[in-house]
Amino acid sequence: MPTPSTPPVILLLSGSLRAGSSNETVLRTARAAAPSGVRTVLYEGLADLPHFNPDDDADPLPAPVARLRAAIAEAAGILICTPEYAGTLPGSFKNLLDWTVGGTEICDKPAAWVNAAAPGRGQGAEDTLRTVLGYTGADIRDAACVRIPVDRGTVGADGTITDEAVRAQLARTIALLAA
């Protein structure tokens, strides 16, 4: 948790393993648009996590899991952007969340998500996130949960969204999580 001299950290979790995914684009934009006084960290260890096995959810934790839990513990809040696959979360991201159930790092931590899917899509992922985050004890901040469909025409050469209204909305979301 932040002290008066350190800025709050918002951990950015992408549910996609695909390079250049819309979800990663949203999170890179959130990182770039974060208000001053808030630091963001993009978690990049999704592909390194072992398959969840309750027998392995004990000390010493597998190193990638220990790094994930440490990143969550150090964060003041969590922002998720994940695709929907077959009406729910991608298996790799559900695996990440499964590794958080046995720990207490996420309990009472402010959490929100951005749905980057086209209008009318992604509700299954949102519903599953709400359910799974409920099991972890996360403090879901509904006011910070937003829908921002990614228009590839508004993505700049740096891989972030150039639309100022979208950037402002992401800055508000980050600020709500950091408050």
Side-chain angles (χ1 to χ4, degrees):
M1 282 306 215
T3 64
S5 62
T6 62
V9 173
I10 303 302
L11 182 62
L12 308 174
L13 297 175
S14 174
S16 180
L17 291 170
R18 189 171 60 84
S21 75
S22 296
N23 303 281
E24 198 169 301
T25 296
V26 166
L27 294 177
R28 278 194 308 270
T29 306
R31 185 174 55 193
S36 66
V38 178
R39 193 167 66 90
T40 58
V41 173
L42 182 61
Y43 175 76
E44 298 186 63
L46 180 62
D48 299 329
L49 292 170
H51 295 290
F52 177 71
N53 179 342
D55 292 338
D56 296 334
D57 195 3
D59 288 328
L61 289 169
V65 175
R67 288 190 293 274
L68 168 66
R69 287 190 180 175
I72 292 169
E74 293 169 10
I78 299 167
L79 181 62
I80 298 166
C81 192
T82 184
E84 176 181 279
Y85 290 149
T88 190
L89 297 174
S92 57
F93 192 67
K94 175 65 168 64
N95 183 60
L96 178 150
L97 292 173
D98 287 344
W99 278 112
T100 70
V101 173
T104 59
E105 297 83 6
I106 203 168
C107 190
D108 297 324
K109 186 125 350 203
W113 55 81
V114 176
N115 181 339
R121 313 258 340 230
Q123 189 61 51
E126 285 188 43
D127 293 344
T128 304
L129 272 174
R130 183 173 298 282
T131 298
V132 176
L133 289 174
Y135 279 102
T136 68
D139 177 12
I140 298 171
R141 300 285 171 95
D142 288 316
C145 296
V146 295
R147 286 181 170 257
I148 301 176
V150 175
D151 174 355
R152 286 288 173 189
T154 64
V155 178
D158 65 352
T160 65
I161 300 168
T162 58
D163 183 308
E164 288 303 319
V166 167
R167 294 173 81 87
Q169 188 173 27
L170 288 168
R172 283 190 299 277
T173 294
I174 296 285
L176 286 168
L177 287 171

